[in-house]
Amino acid sequence: MIRFLSQIQRINNFCYSNVIVSNRVVGFSTSGTMFKSAVFNLQEASKDQVQEFLNSFDTVLTDCDGVLWIDNNAISGSADAMNYFRKLGKKIFYVTNNSTKIRSEFASKATQLGFIASQEEILSTAYLVAHYLKGIGFTKKVYLLGSNGIGEELKAVGVRHIGVGPDHVKPDFKSMQPSELDPEVGAVVVGFDEHVSYPKFMKAASYLASEQCLFIATNTDERFPKAGSIVVPGTGTLVRAVETCSERKALVLGKPHNYVRKYLESCGLNPARTLMIGDRCNTDIELGVRCGFQTLLVLSGVTSPKDLEKLRNEKTPPLPDVVLPKLGDLLSLVS
Amino acid sequence: MIRFLSQIQRINNFCYSNVIVSNRVVGFSTSGTMFKSAVFNLQEASKDQVQEFLNSFDTVLTDCDGVLWIDNNAISGSADAMNYFRKLGKKIFYVTNNSTKIRSEFASKATQLGFIASQEEILSTAYLVAHYLKGIGFTKKVYLLGSNGIGEELKAVGVRHIGVGPDHVKPDFKSMQPSELDPEVGAVVVGFDEHVSYPKFMKAASYLASEQCLFIATNTDERFPKAGSIVVPGTGTLVRAVETCSERKALVLGKPHNYVRKYLESCGLNPARTLMIGDRCNTDIELGVRCGFQTLLVLSGVTSPKDLEKLRNEKTPPLPDVVLPKLGDLLSLVS
């Protein structure tokens, strides 16, 4: 890990110097990191620059919701772009903070929507939770404020769990007794839960009153990307709620936090030759920046063109290297 | 307001100087503010000091949950202590962040538990919400993620509302359409809501996507005081959740925020002759400190003896002037 980090540090230092010395927003570097934090619209690049960009990475990590699809609809051109990367020989990982499905379900969904994908290429937060608990030799039970996606991944590694599904408020909810708590619970896991309720908050906070009880969250995304004017609250909404009533901070496993970085490190990828694609700056791009990956922000998800304008003006990190309205737009640049 | 604030400033400056000059933790001041931020256990005061303390204020503001009662049980001795204040001629206000009842219901509950109380002496956050919206001439509809207490107070001032009661998730909740939102809604109010649910978060965040929509919260208390090991999440849990998915900050009306200060100011009380009693430092004591009141922390609610020890050691403001295990302990000091 230390070697990995110092490698990232060297890359960052190099690119930073490069930008300063050249005093140009768009710079090339021998490490293959073009357009460093330039929020550069790839559509404005020359054919040669696009080609050099494509040659500068061997591995593509991509977010799913908002980049590849929204709900159950593929975003136009995304599948063709991903399959083009594969045709060019790039290694591919689908890295999603979504915790509602198991890896094989993500692979099926991707395949149905036209993406070539195998279970081994999926890195989801439901899987990360199971991987983490298995890794620390956890033998107690999980109180899961989350969905069956996490439940199934936990089951696959032999970790027991309770809590999935509706838990409606009782008329005398304030009279809940300690006897209603399961003494075997040793961890509270918060993921996306459409059945979130007051009794669930009450139980989570009560388990967490014990300092020995672990507190794990899949991710803290504020919202899901969504077409239209309805806002779809993300897991961060539930994590912040449980953090408030438990008066504790969760260990967050998903993007952009350390655990997913560590996992990617174990996959043996070379940060200097990796591209991270996402629709969120505070998760996808932040992860990319922390790991020393090149980063591509697409505007087909949570980040709007208005947000992008703000990004460009305020220059507040994390800034993506390059930007595209949607991933599929890459194809017209190489055709 | 400016005069009121500068008055508070003068009092604070005076007391601060007094403590520094005397170089004693316990100091007396001519403004009647004894034991300033001393976290002084009143049980260790002499009879004369207790008498001087009692003579130093004309008005008593008291929190309810955790000071006077827990759930539906009076805390031993609290009613006698409050009624003793009244017998001494003190003006009394019950100032609660609890938003679940209307003022007359609080007065009834207090009376049933042995406290002398009238509706006019109750200052609750449900009432403050109605008072605020009436004050700004609000004519649209409120989406209320809260209970009927707020609903009734709104009705009393002619403000329409929707949203109270269960709103369970539908199997296809992600397909919620803008047509399901009420175009007349011009404010989202978040209070305590035992029926909180994912569709409620979704609706609140969708209304708040319009910048014109007001965002009001009753209070941000993390927990209710509760006997036993079950943690009862407070309104802050729900407010932080809605703030996360709406990506906005609520205007909080309850303790320790400006609106309740302003309301108290309009009641014509003299800060230098007012005592604030509470069981929470970040609401009750903070309000007292901001307003220049004397403050009494009791340990019968959310603040534990362990928390108090931490307070004393860390000297992190807001610090109460005096402390008692419970309000009723005052009586044995004067008998």
Side-chain angles (χ1 to χ4, degrees):
Chain A
M1 186 65 182
I2 289 167
R3 212 182 64 189
F4 178 70
L5 286 176
S6 70
Q7 189 178 5
I8 292 171
Q9 197 54 51
R10 279 200 306 276
I11 293 162
N12 279 340
N13 288 346
F14 175 81
C15 298
Y16 183 70
S17 311
N18 189 48
V19 170
I20 296 295
V21 170
S22 71
N23 199 28
R24 291 172 59 202
V25 179
V26 181
F28 289 75
S29 85
T30 51
S31 72
T33 313
M34 292 169 61
F35 312 117
K36 191 68 189 168
S37 301
V39 199
F40 183 81
N41 183 349
L42 207 55
Q43 290 175 312
E44 292 167 13
S46 68
K47 285 252 171 196
D48 284 351
Q49 281 180 314
V50 172
Q51 206 49 58
E52 193 168 342
F53 171 72
L54 287 170
N55 291 340
S56 69
F57 52 86
D58 304 320
T59 302
V60 175
L61 308 181
T62 183
D63 179 41
C64 297
D65 300 272
V67 176
L68 307 185
W69 55 68
I70 287 181
D71 292 339
N72 290 314
N73 304 305
I75 296 169
S76 157
S78 284
D80 291 339
M82 288 306 296
N83 296 343
Y84 178 71
F85 286 139
R86 191 179 296 270
K87 202 173 138 195
L88 292 177
K90 315 292 185 194
K91 199 170 167 180
I92 286 172
F93 286 102
Y94 300 87
V95 187
T96 176
N97 274 353
N98 190 316
S99 67
T100 62
K101 291 181 179 65
I102 58 173
R103 293 197 301 161
S104 60
E105 286 171 332
F106 274 116
S108 294
K109 175 173 178 170
T111 306
Q112 277 168 26
L113 295 178
F115 300 84
I116 302 167
S118 68
Q119 179 173 317
E120 290 65 37
E121 290 170 335
I122 310 289
L123 183 52
S124 70
T125 48
Y127 174 74
L128 278 180
V129 169
H131 188 265
Y132 175 80
L133 289 174
K134 188 184 166 193
I136 61 167
F138 183 81
T139 54
K140 297 196 82 179
K141 211 182 269 183
V142 165
Y143 177 70
L144 180 52
L145 201 155
S147 71
N148 215 30
I150 305 170
E152 288 297 311
E153 293 283 12
L154 288 176
K155 209 171 148 188
V157 297
V159 173
R160 297 162 300 155
H161 67 90
I162 55 168
V164 172
D167 189 350
H168 296 312
V169 71
K170 294 172 200 163
D172 63 341
F173 73 100
K174 278 197 177 175
S175 64
M176 185 190 277
Q177 295 300 313
S179 59
E180 291 181 55
L181 299 177
D182 186 332
E184 285 195 85
V185 166
V188 168
V189 171
V190 181
F192 180 75
D193 187 349
E194 68 207 54
H195 296 293
V196 64
S197 66
Y198 190 80
K200 289 192 176 196
F201 287 145
M202 205 165 170
K203 286 178 185 172
S206 297
Y207 286 121
L208 289 168
S210 158
E211 284 175 21
Q212 279 71 48
C213 185
L214 303 177
F215 183 13
I216 296 164
T218 55
N219 63 298
T220 53
D221 296 39
E222 294 86 356
R223 302 171 170 200
F224 281 91
K226 169 95 181 164
S229 59
I230 296 291
V231 175
V232 186
T235 305
T237 303
L238 315 185
V239 175
R240 297 305 176 215
V242 178
E243 286 186 337
T244 303
C245 56
S246 69
E247 298 180 340
R248 288 179 58 174
K249 283 279 172 196
L251 171 69
V252 187
L253 300 184
K255 294 174 287 184
H257 296 278
N258 278 337
Y259 197 70
V260 65
R261 281 176 64 180
K262 212 170 159 183
Y263 185 92
L264 288 167
E265 176 199 350
S266 74
C267 299
L269 52 82
N270 176 0
R273 301 280 306 160
T274 298
L275 175 71
M276 174 80 217
I277 309 172
D279 69 321
R280 302 182 64 101
C281 282
N282 67 353
T283 54
D284 307 316
I285 304 306
E286 176 71 31
L287 177 75
V289 169
R290 287 190 194 184
C291 294
F293 304 150
Q294 283 190 82
T295 56
L296 163 58
L297 179 74
V298 294
L299 305 181
S300 50
V302 296
T303 305
S304 68
K306 199 177 153 192
D307 297 332
L308 176 65
E309 206 186 311
K310 216 175 152 194
L311 265 181
R312 279 186 194 279
N313 293 336
E314 295 183 359
K315 297 187 174 66
T316 316
L319 294 175
D321 302 330
V322 291
V323 182
L324 276 176
K326 60 182 193 299
L327 184 56
D329 294 329
L330 190 72
L331 291 173
S332 62
L333 305 180
V334 290
S335 64
Chain B
M1 186 65 180
I2 289 168
R3 212 183 64 191
F4 177 69
L5 287 177
S6 68
Q7 190 177 6
I8 292 170
Q9 198 55 51
R10 278 200 305 279
I11 294 163
N12 280 340
N13 288 347
F14 176 80
C15 297
Y16 183 69
S17 312
N18 190 48
V19 170
I20 296 295
V21 170
S22 71
N23 200 27
R24 292 173 59 204
V25 178
V26 180
F28 290 74
S29 84
T30 52
S31 72
T33 313
M34 292 168 62
F35 311 116
K36 192 67 188 169
S37 301
V39 200
F40 183 82
N41 184 350
L42 207 55
Q43 289 174 312
E44 292 167 12
S46 68
K47 286 252 169 195
D48 284 350
Q49 282 179 314
V50 171
Q51 205 50 57
E52 192 169 341
F53 171 71
L54 287 170
N55 291 340
S56 69
F57 52 86
D58 305 321
T59 302
V60 175
L61 308 180
T62 184
D63 179 42
C64 296
D65 300 271
V67 176
L68 308 185
W69 55 68
I70 286 180
D71 291 339
N72 290 314
N73 304 306
I75 295 169
S76 157
S78 284
D80 291 339
M82 288 306 295
N83 297 343
Y84 178 71
F85 286 140
R86 191 178 295 271
K87 201 173 138 195
L88 292 177
K90 315 292 185 196
K91 199 170 166 179
I92 286 171
F93 285 102
Y94 299 87
V95 187
T96 177
N97 274 353
N98 189 316
S99 66
T100 61
K101 292 183 179 66
I102 60 173
R103 293 196 302 161
S104 60
E105 287 171 330
F106 274 117
S108 294
K109 175 173 179 170
T111 306
Q112 276 167 25
L113 296 178
F115 300 84
I116 302 166
S118 69
Q119 178 173 318
E120 290 64 37
E121 290 170 336
I122 310 289
L123 182 52
S124 70
T125 48
Y127 174 75
L128 277 180
V129 169
H131 188 264
Y132 175 81
L133 289 174
K134 189 184 166 193
I136 62 167
F138 183 80
T139 55
K140 298 195 82 179
K141 211 181 270 184
V142 164
Y143 177 69
L144 180 52
L145 200 156
S147 71
N148 216 29
I150 304 170
E152 288 296 310
E153 293 283 11
L154 288 175
K155 209 170 149 189
V157 296
V159 172
R160 297 163 299 156
H161 67 91
I162 54 169
V164 172
D167 189 349
H168 296 312
V169 71
K170 293 172 199 162
D172 63 340
F173 73 100
K174 276 197 177 176
S175 64
M176 184 190 278
Q177 294 301 313
S179 60
E180 291 181 56
L181 298 177
D182 186 331
E184 285 196 86
V185 166
V188 169
V189 171
V190 180
F192 179 75
D193 187 348
E194 68 206 54
H195 297 291
V196 64
S197 66
Y198 191 81
K200 290 191 175 195
F201 288 144
M202 205 165 170
K203 286 178 185 172
S206 297
Y207 285 121
L208 289 169
S210 158
E211 284 177 20
Q212 280 71 49
C213 185
L214 303 177
F215 183 14
I216 296 164
T218 56
N219 63 298
T220 52
D221 296 41
E222 293 85 358
R223 302 171 169 200
F224 281 91
K226 169 96 181 165
S229 60
I230 296 291
V231 175
V232 186
T235 304
T237 302
L238 315 184
V239 175
R240 297 304 177 216
V242 178
E243 286 186 337
T244 303
C245 55
S246 69
E247 298 180 340
R248 288 178 58 174
K249 282 280 171 195
L251 171 70
V252 187
L253 300 184
K255 294 174 286 183
H257 297 278
N258 278 337
Y259 196 71
V260 65
R261 283 175 63 180
K262 213 170 159 185
Y263 185 94
L264 288 167
E265 177 199 349
S266 74
C267 298
L269 53 83
N270 176 0
R273 302 279 306 161
T274 298
L275 175 70
M276 175 80 217
I277 309 172
D279 69 321
R280 300 183 65 100
C281 282
N282 67 353
T283 54
D284 307 316
I285 304 307
E286 176 70 31
L287 177 75
V289 169
R290 288 189 194 185
C291 293
F293 305 150
Q294 283 190 82
T295 56
L296 163 57
L297 179 74
V298 294
L299 305 181
S300 50
V302 295
T303 306
S304 67
K306 197 177 154 192
D307 297 331
L308 176 66
E309 205 186 312
K310 214 174 155 196
L311 263 181
R312 280 185 194 278
N313 293 337
E314 295 183 359
K315 296 187 174 69
T316 316
L319 294 176
D321 302 331
V322 291
V323 182
L324 275 176
K326 61 182 193 300
L327 184 55
D329 294 328
L330 190 70
L331 292 172
S332 62
L333 305 179
V334 291
S335 62

